[in-house]
Amino acid sequence: MYNQKLRAHLDRGVIGFPGTMASSVGMLMASPTLLTATSGFGMGGDSFALAVLLAFIMMQAQITTFAEAAALIPTTGSVYDYISCGMGRFFAIVGALCAYLVVHIYAATAETILAGVMALANFESLLPTLATHQDTWLLGVAMVLLFACLNALGIEVFSKVEVVLTFGMGFTLLVFGIGGLLTAPAVTQPGWFGAALNLGDVGGFVGYIGMAMFLFVGCELVTPMAPEIKRAHRTLPQAMGLGLLCVAGCLFLYGAAMSRQVDNVLVDPAHGLRLMDTPLALPAFAYQVMGHAGQYWLGFGLILAGAATINTLMAAVPRILYSMALDGALPRVLTWLHPRFKTPVAAIALAAAIPCLHAWYLQGNVDRIVPLILAAVCAWGVAYLLVTLSVVLLRIRRPDLPRAYRSSLFPLPQVISSVGIIIAIWHITPAGMDRSAILVPFGVMLAIASLYALGWTLLVQRVNPFKPVAVEEVVTRAMARHPQLHEEAPDALRSLV
Amino acid sequence: MRSARWSEPTLLRAVSADLANWQPEEQQGRLCLTLGPGVEVWVEARRQRLFMANLWRCEFSCAGPLAERAEGRVRAHQPGWWRRQPVRFTGRGAMASALARHLNHFPNLRQTLAELDYRQFELRMEGGEWRCVIEPWAASEVACRLPPLRRYLRLTSHQRMLLLSVLKMVAEAMARFPR
């Protein structure tokens, strides 16, 4: 009976393969990704390219786990529901907070600061006041507030803005990627992607893998769509896999083009800072490809990229928080809707306040961006590990459950991805960076999330925090979306006079 | 706001459950329920395609004959960006303005519409017939790809009472519309 219901639930999806793939890739392209890729290829060259390849393999292994979980528990609760069923509500709340809120604290702050930095890098002459006072991050804060207000007006406004932003960003990146490869090389490098392959420093190389992972994380955000996807058990793994392949292809294209066109000169001998470690590498690349016009064009493209990402975050994160609050994992105040526009304004305000206050606390310090990104990778990594462990535990504890998609070669992909994530987190610090700048703030956030989860489950939900929830219970609740009303008498309608 | 008529059985089933105490009947992909003598309400599902999202929503309408041929459209203006104030009806052209003035004389109608959470209200006179269409916020379903979610907004009993009351009052007011 349950199997039939689950099959019918999976069969009612409407979103096809292209839509699923677009959604999985949509969260990946952003300013921090470009900066991370530029910095990585500048530092490591071919070594970083190899790290990207290994991170790609790890992520391919990881998505098989997510696909199995999504086919087994096709709910919009995604990470929260998978871990609830595998390991109990305590780990579910910790995992969901790591995957969404802690990541937002770090990655959204990096995006906010970078939006201003990118503007300064490309339009320094247009922003003399901000540049003089080192207040470029205020531009990012302004973007966050603008898009928060737009999203408070409703999702229709979000969608219209997003069309323009996404088209502008995608077209720009495509033109410059191809242009960089077609233009005659300005620099001769020993390797395809800059410096030649060097595996002598194992610790540094593993650090590159941690950076490279950031380029791919986020594609699993498509899994809450499982109930809406046509034949989700097939479409999801294929779309995520192909999406990751396209992103990897674009990154290799970008890395090769950048290393052919930009001379990675030393710009700050005191700190050993090279051009490709800074956002200034991007206008230099644009100038090589298309002159001053290219600089301005790419500058606008990067602002659009930042705006698109901030807009997406302002749309996605509040609604995820809203859903979690509806499910009882977060305080009910986050379910409050605007009386007129019916948007989750309390959650939108929280999602906007986090990067703004964090950027203000850091005073837009550019040196903190890479540690922020790596802290976000740690948060993502913890969530991935918890999901993987849950899927493995469910396979052992409940082999009887209907699995429309089964991760092949079990448990090899799970071992590969988990070992890779643990090693990457352990060696997350690239050469020359203070380890405590990444792990201490992340550890503090993880501790706060754990304390919250323990207090919430014990004091508010009053449940055993470590008792796994039955899969059937979660899926049946998700399927019963249209509760029946049992009212017999017609309403007493009001009269005209 | 562009949208297309859409036969969405899942949405109509959900709306039908919300209207269960009025015993709606399904006819040609629409729901029909009777509020009283000569007052029939039709419910149609419509889909609005957005970028990476779809909105499935319902239009509730009722219609009736006009004594003489008239053209015009009356809209509801709702002041207040934070809290909704009582509605004021407006119309363009002589006939529509006269009808708007007529409707503004019914405080119960203005108050009830103000309490209703709706996206769109339109009262159109065309070809010897009037037709009132209301699109409530509830009885709609949003399916987003980013953020990935699908949620049906139930038509609660209070909102249902308000919605049907407005349609019934409009029908009564139109019957009293001076020629």
Side-chain angles (χ1 to χ4, degrees):
Chain A
M1 185 67 181
Y2 171 75
N3 292 6
Q4 287 173 347
K5 275 188 179 175
L6 182 62
R7 196 175 300 121
H9 188 56
L10 285 172
D11 284 345
R12 64 178 295 279
V14 291
I15 300 171
F17 180 83
T20 309
M21 192 176 137
S23 301
S24 73
V25 175
M27 285 296 282
L28 297 176
M29 286 292 181
S31 305
T33 306
L34 281 181
L35 190 72
T36 307
T38 308
S39 180
F41 281 113
M43 282 194 285
D46 283 5
S47 304
F48 185 73
L50 181 61
V52 171
L53 184 65
L54 292 178
F56 169 74
I57 292 169
M58 277 165 45
M59 288 300 295
Q60 287 285 1
Q62 181 68 45
I63 60 171
T64 64
T65 303
F66 269 102
E68 177 168 326
L72 178 65
I73 310 167
T75 67
T76 53
S78 186
V79 168
Y80 178 74
D81 286 339
Y82 307 157
I83 305 175
S84 287
C85 295
M87 303 173 71
R89 288 189 174 93
F90 167 78
F91 289 108
I93 293 177
V94 171
L97 288 178
C98 278
Y100 302 126
L101 197 59
V102 180
V103 161
H104 183 66
I105 290 171
Y106 296 124
T109 306
E111 184 68 55
T112 303
I113 296 173
L114 263 182
V117 172
M118 290 298 186
L120 176 66
N122 292 281
F123 304 105
E124 195 169 2
S125 58
L126 300 178
L127 296 167
T129 310
L130 288 175
T132 306
H133 295 93
Q134 294 296 306
D135 285 339
T136 51
W137 59 279
L138 288 173
L139 188 65
V141 169
M143 276 191 193
V144 170
L145 295 177
L146 172 71
F147 288 118
C149 291
L150 283 178
N151 278 289
L153 293 178
I155 196 161
E156 290 160 44
V157 179
F158 157 74
S159 72
K160 283 170 187 162
V161 173
E162 194 70 3
V163 169
V164 177
L165 296 180
T166 306
F167 176 77
M169 177 185 73
F171 183 67
T172 300
L173 290 179
L174 187 69
V175 168
F176 278 88
I178 295 170
L181 279 183
L182 294 180
T183 308
V187 185
T188 306
Q189 296 279 12
W192 287 5
F193 302 94
L197 187 65
N198 174 19
L199 297 178
D201 177 13
V202 177
F205 177 70
V206 177
Y208 289 150
I209 296 178
M211 284 176 76
M213 270 182 62
F214 179 72
L215 307 176
F216 297 112
V217 289
C219 70
E220 84 290 346
L221 283 173
V222 74
T223 51
M225 287 167 56
E228 320 309 326
I229 296 171
K230 282 181 199 165
R231 299 194 304 162
H233 55 288
R234 287 188 185 178
T235 308
L236 256 179
Q238 288 170 357
M240 287 195 287
L242 194 60
L244 281 179
L245 190 65
C246 290
V247 170
C250 286
L251 286 171
F252 285 127
L253 198 76
Y254 174 76
M258 178 66 89
S259 60
R260 278 162 60 93
Q261 301 300 338
V262 178
D263 192 5
N264 196 16
V265 293
L266 205 60
V267 291
D268 183 359
H271 298 94
L273 199 66
R274 291 184 172 273
L275 179 63
M276 285 169 73
D277 298 333
T278 72
L280 295 171
L282 292 160
F285 171 59
Y287 181 76
Q288 281 298 122
V289 177
M290 237 178 272
H292 285 299
Q295 275 183 303
Y296 288 119
W297 183 358
L298 186 61
F300 275 118
L302 289 171
I303 291 174
L304 287 179
T309 307
I310 289 173
N311 193 24
T312 304
L313 288 171
M314 284 302 107
V317 173
R319 287 164 176 86
I320 288 169
L321 298 178
Y322 171 74
S323 296
M324 286 176 71
L326 276 183
D327 292 337
L330 289 176
R332 282 200 70 79
V333 67
L334 294 173
T335 63
W336 192 73
L337 298 178
H338 188 285
R340 177 151 192 174
F341 302 115
K342 306 296 168 195
T343 46
V345 280
I348 290 174
L350 177 66
I354 286 170
C356 292
L357 293 176
H358 201 187
W360 172 68
Y361 171 71
L362 299 176
Q363 287 295 298
N365 188 350
V366 182
D367 298 337
R368 301 290 293 273
I369 287 177
V370 174
L372 285 175
I373 289 170
L374 294 176
V377 170
C378 291
W380 249 310
V382 168
Y384 282 10
L385 284 174
L386 290 174
V387 170
T388 303
L389 202 52
S390 299
V391 167
V392 171
L393 287 171
L394 282 170
R395 276 266 190 133
I396 296 168
R397 206 169 54 231
R398 295 294 307 274
D400 57 307
L401 287 171
R403 289 172 172 82
Y405 172 83
R406 297 173 78 89
S407 174
S408 53
L409 300 176
F410 178 86
L412 189 60
Q414 287 69 29
V415 170
I416 290 174
S417 63
S418 299
V419 169
I421 288 168
I422 290 168
I423 291 175
I425 291 178
W426 190 251
H427 295 277
I428 195 82
T429 321
M433 193 173 287
D434 185 11
R435 186 181 176 83
S436 61
I438 301 162
L439 294 182
V440 168
F442 168 68
V444 169
M445 293 308 300
L446 187 61
I448 292 172
S450 303
L451 278 176
Y452 169 82
L454 201 59
W456 193 258
T457 47
L458 285 176
L459 303 176
V460 180
Q461 293 184 317
R462 294 177 186 276
V463 292
N464 180 349
F466 305 107
K467 184 184 176 190
V469 184
V471 172
E472 291 89 339
E473 182 189 325
V474 171
V475 178
T476 306
R477 194 177 59 223
M479 286 190 283
R481 289 186 305 115
H482 307 308
Q484 295 284 329
L485 294 179
H486 300 289
E487 294 169 81
E488 295 299 326
D491 306 303
L493 301 184
R494 295 182 186 176
S495 60
L496 186 62
V497 286
Chain B
M1 199 179 296
R2 283 177 301 145
S3 62
R5 188 178 163 198
W6 184 254
S7 177
E8 171 56 44
T10 314
L11 177 62
L12 284 183
R13 268 203 302 275
V15 178
S16 183
D18 288 350
L19 293 167
N21 53 351
W22 287 94
Q23 299 173 336
E25 292 173 9
E26 187 163 351
Q27 294 178 17
Q28 300 166 343
R30 299 188 296 173
L31 295 177
C32 176
L33 57 102
T34 306
L35 296 184
V39 186
E40 280 188 339
V41 173
W42 292 87
V43 186
E44 282 181 39
R46 288 190 171 267
R47 183 178 67 170
Q48 185 183 2
R49 299 183 77 135
L50 301 169
F51 178 69
M52 301 186 83
N54 276 306
L55 280 179
W56 281 273
R57 58 214 200 184
C58 282
E59 282 185 357
F60 288 72
S61 63
C62 64
L66 283 171
E68 57 187 78
R69 293 186 72 84
E71 302 284 327
R73 195 168 57 175
V74 171
R75 287 182 180 277
H77 173 64
Q78 185 119 46
W81 71 274
W82 182 252
R83 289 278 177 207
R84 292 189 159 201
Q85 306 296 320
V87 162
R88 201 165 53 79
F89 296 99
T90 57
R92 279 189 183 174
M95 205 61 183
S97 297
L99 178 56
R101 277 196 303 276
H102 171 69
L103 294 175
N104 282 328
H105 285 141
F106 297 106
N108 279 4
L109 173 59
R110 294 173 60 198
Q111 178 59 34
T112 307
L113 188 52
E115 290 175 37
L116 176 68
D117 290 329
Y118 68 96
R119 286 167 167 274
Q120 200 182 4
F121 171 95
E122 188 182 76
L123 178 54
R124 188 185 284 270
M125 294 178 291
E126 204 170 38
E129 190 187 63
W130 64 267
R131 180 177 157 81
C132 178
V133 180
I134 300 177
E135 186 189 313
W137 279 99
S140 68
E141 189 167 62
V142 60
C144 278
R145 294 176 189 176
L146 243 175
L149 62 86
R150 187 180 187 115
R151 196 169 293 279
Y152 170 70
L153 286 181
R154 272 186 57 199
L155 185 63
T156 61
S157 55
H158 183 62
Q159 286 291 312
R160 180 183 61 215
M161 181 274 291
L162 294 171
L163 174 64
L164 299 180
S165 294
V166 169
L167 289 168
K168 184 164 170 276
M169 281 192 256
V170 167
E172 287 172 6
M174 289 307 294
R176 300 177 184 199
F177 183 44
R179 277 76 181 176

